Amino acid sequence: MSVQQVIITDCDHEDIEIESRVLNEAIVPFVLKQCKTEDDVIREGQGAAVFLNQYAPITDRVMKSLPALKLVVRYGVGVNNVDLVAATRHGVQICNVPDYGTNEVADHALALMLSMTRKISRMTNEVRKGNWNYQTSIPIFRHSEQTVGVIGVGRIGTSFANKVNALGCKVIGYDPRISEKSNRSIPSYMELVELDELLSVSDVVSIHCPLDHARNLIDEAELRKMKPTSYLINVSRGGIINETALDKALSEKWIAGAAVDVAEVEPLPIDSPLLRHHNFFCTPHMAWYSEQAAQELKRKVAEEAVRFLRGEAVHYPVNQIKK
């Protein structure tokens, strides 16, 4: 393996001990930067063949200015900060780590679902106020008689579906990508339906699809199709739900509640109108996190870089580069 420099463009983790171990063992020189802008990346990235990248923008201008760059590995699943079209044009391989937090994200969606449907947070607040009366939780419905709609039946969507199926819920799914990939299959217990049907019959709708081609997928028209007793969950990407429409839906009681782990702008502004709703719940983009998942992510990012530099096939290509 020829010596090529790896640059960690940015990283807000406590340390890079795991990446360092993998790269040092492979005798790959590297350096950590904290780039925030295009100019930062261009200035700090000169001569590097590989970027390990968290949030720093990898744009057409960046790649045009860095002809030595051949690989970008994202810390995580999403590649929203990378211009994939430009990357392919410039011959830059983009990779991610799609499988490091599958169970964690699915578990988080399940936790949000149970907290809403069993009204855990709401009733805890009532108890804190001295109100020891279950009747203020009415109505609560039996899970085995509920329908859960899963938007996006990939790794995480399927993991979530398996968990709610174990509760006895009827599970339906919507995923237009399945028909495009012959090797994709769905669980035998799940029925695939069109989005309009999923929204209109589901008691819980949980979003597990990428932002690509799904921005504002859930807008005012879609929210109006949902039941007034239904709940909406998004642990995927901010921007899939139109937040203005969601505020209106909660204000006018089109749905019973919503819980998200992501927002159009992160962090969610403290003056967001969504935060005034007692039936809106938000966690700070943490669904992916467990100690084990965090360690796995860091290891796999570094291992992907080593594979590429050794001339081996990468495990998680996002775009297709002509050889």
Side-chain angles (χ1 to χ4, degrees), residues 111-124:
L112 293 175
M113 170 183 151
L114 293 174
S115 182
M116 286 192 295
T117 58
R118 293 299 307 174
K119 302 188 178 174
I120 304 300
S121 296
R122 178 177 172 182
M123 296 313 297
T124 297

Side-chain angles (χ1 to χ4, degrees), residues 59-76:
T59 63
D60 179 50
R61 176 172 168 250
V62 165
M63 290 178 279
K64 187 175 182 179
S65 302
L66 300 173
L69 183 64
K70 298 302 177 186
L71 172 72
V72 176
V73 189
R74 274 277 296 119
Y75 280 98

Side-chain angles (χ1 to χ4, degrees), residues 108-137:
H108 200 83
L110 179 64
L112 293 175
M113 170 183 151
L114 293 174
S115 182
M116 286 192 295
T117 58
R118 293 299 307 174
K119 302 188 178 174
I120 304 300
S121 296
R122 178 177 172 182
M123 296 313 297
T124 297
N125 289 334
E126 289 296 315
V127 171
R128 286 197 174 105
K129 292 186 291 187
N131 186 10
W132 190 268
N133 182 3
Y134 81 92
Q135 291 182 337
T136 58
S137 73

Side-chain angles (χ1 to χ4, degrees), residues 9 37-43 45-46 51 53 56-69 72 81 83 86 90 92:
T9 61
T37 67
E38 288 181 323
D39 289 339
D40 291 343
V41 179
I42 292 169
R43 182 181 64 255
Q46 293 296 325
F51 284 171
N53 167 261
I58 309 299
T59 63
D60 179 50
R61 176 172 168 250
V62 165
M63 290 178 279
K64 187 175 182 179
S65 302
L66 300 173
L69 183 64
V72 176
N81 62 314
D83 186 332
H90 288 292
V92 178

Side-chain angles (χ1 to χ4, degrees), residues 1-20:
M1 177 176 61
S2 60
V3 176
Q4 302 179 69
Q5 189 176 39
V6 172
I7 288 180
I8 304 175
T9 61
D10 58 311
C11 183
D12 65 3
H13 305 162
E14 185 175 341
D15 59 57
I16 56 167
E17 180 181 344
I18 293 173
E19 299 95 317
S20 299

Side-chain angles (χ1 to χ4, degrees), residues 234-307:
N234 184 13
V235 292
S236 187
R237 280 292 181 268
I240 295 176
I241 301 173
N242 183 301
E243 291 180 2
T244 301
L246 179 59
D247 175 45
K248 189 174 182 181
L250 294 172
S251 296
E252 300 183 8
K253 298 181 171 55
W254 303 348
I255 61 176
V260 305
D261 185 56
V262 290
E264 290 181 13
V265 175
E266 294 183 0
L268 183 70
I270 193 67
D271 60 352
S272 168
L274 291 171
L275 294 173
R276 63 188 171 89
H277 299 290
H278 72 85
N279 55 346
F280 173 76
F281 306 92
C282 184
T283 52
H285 207 141
M286 60 173 287
W288 65 274
Y289 172 72
S290 72
E291 283 297 299
Q292 292 79 8
Q295 293 167 14
E296 182 180 357
L297 171 63
K298 293 161 78 64
R299 173 177 57 80
K300 286 185 172 180
V301 163
E303 288 174 346
E304 190 78 306
V306 171
R307 275 190 290 271

Side-chain angles (χ1 to χ4, degrees), residues 88-272:
T88 302
R89 186 172 67 250
H90 288 292
V92 178
Q93 178 70 67
I94 308 299
C95 296
N96 63 352
V97 186
D99 58 355
Y100 73 99
T102 298
N103 284 319
E104 284 80 1
V105 179
D107 288 348
H108 200 83
L110 179 64
L112 293 175
M113 170 183 151
L114 293 174
S115 182
M116 286 192 295
T117 58
R118 293 299 307 174
K119 302 188 178 174
I120 304 300
S121 296
R122 178 177 172 182
M123 296 313 297
T124 297
N125 289 334
E126 289 296 315
V127 171
R128 286 197 174 105
K129 292 186 291 187
N131 186 10
W132 190 268
N133 182 3
Y134 81 92
Q135 291 182 337
T136 58
S137 73
I138 292 172
I140 290 176
F141 301 99
R142 182 175 291 171
H143 286 117
S144 61
E145 296 181 17
Q146 300 279 283
T147 297
V148 175
V150 181
I151 298 177
V153 192
R155 289 183 182 90
I156 297 171
T158 298
S159 179
F160 172 74
N162 288 338
K163 296 173 193 298
V164 295
N165 177 63
L167 294 177
C169 301
K170 177 181 178 181
V171 185
I172 59 177
Y174 167 73
D175 193 332
R177 298 171 300 166
I178 289 183
S179 61
E180 300 172 4
K181 300 181 180 181
S182 59
N183 64 335
R184 292 280 300 279
S185 60
I186 62 170
S188 59
Y189 59 78
M190 181 189 296
E191 175 188 3
L192 283 184
V193 299
E194 293 301 317
L195 180 59
D196 284 356
E197 181 180 350
L198 182 146
L199 294 170
S200 64
V201 304
S202 295
D203 299 291
V204 176
V205 174
S206 191
I207 298 171
H208 301 277
C209 63
L211 183 60
D212 300 344
H213 310 298
R215 186 172 294 278
N216 292 325
L217 179 69
I218 306 300
D219 209 332
E220 182 170 330
E222 288 72 32
L223 287 161
R224 286 185 180 276
K225 292 182 174 76
M226 295 177 64
K227 298 179 181 181
T229 55
S230 64
Y231 296 95
L232 180 62
I233 298 167
N234 184 13
V235 292
S236 187
R237 280 292 181 268
I240 295 176
I241 301 173
N242 183 301
E243 291 180 2
T244 301
L246 179 59
D247 175 45
K248 189 174 182 181
L250 294 172
S251 296
E252 300 183 8
K253 298 181 171 55
W254 303 348
I255 61 176
V260 305
D261 185 56
V262 290
E264 290 181 13
V265 175
E266 294 183 0
L268 183 70
I270 193 67
D271 60 352
S272 168

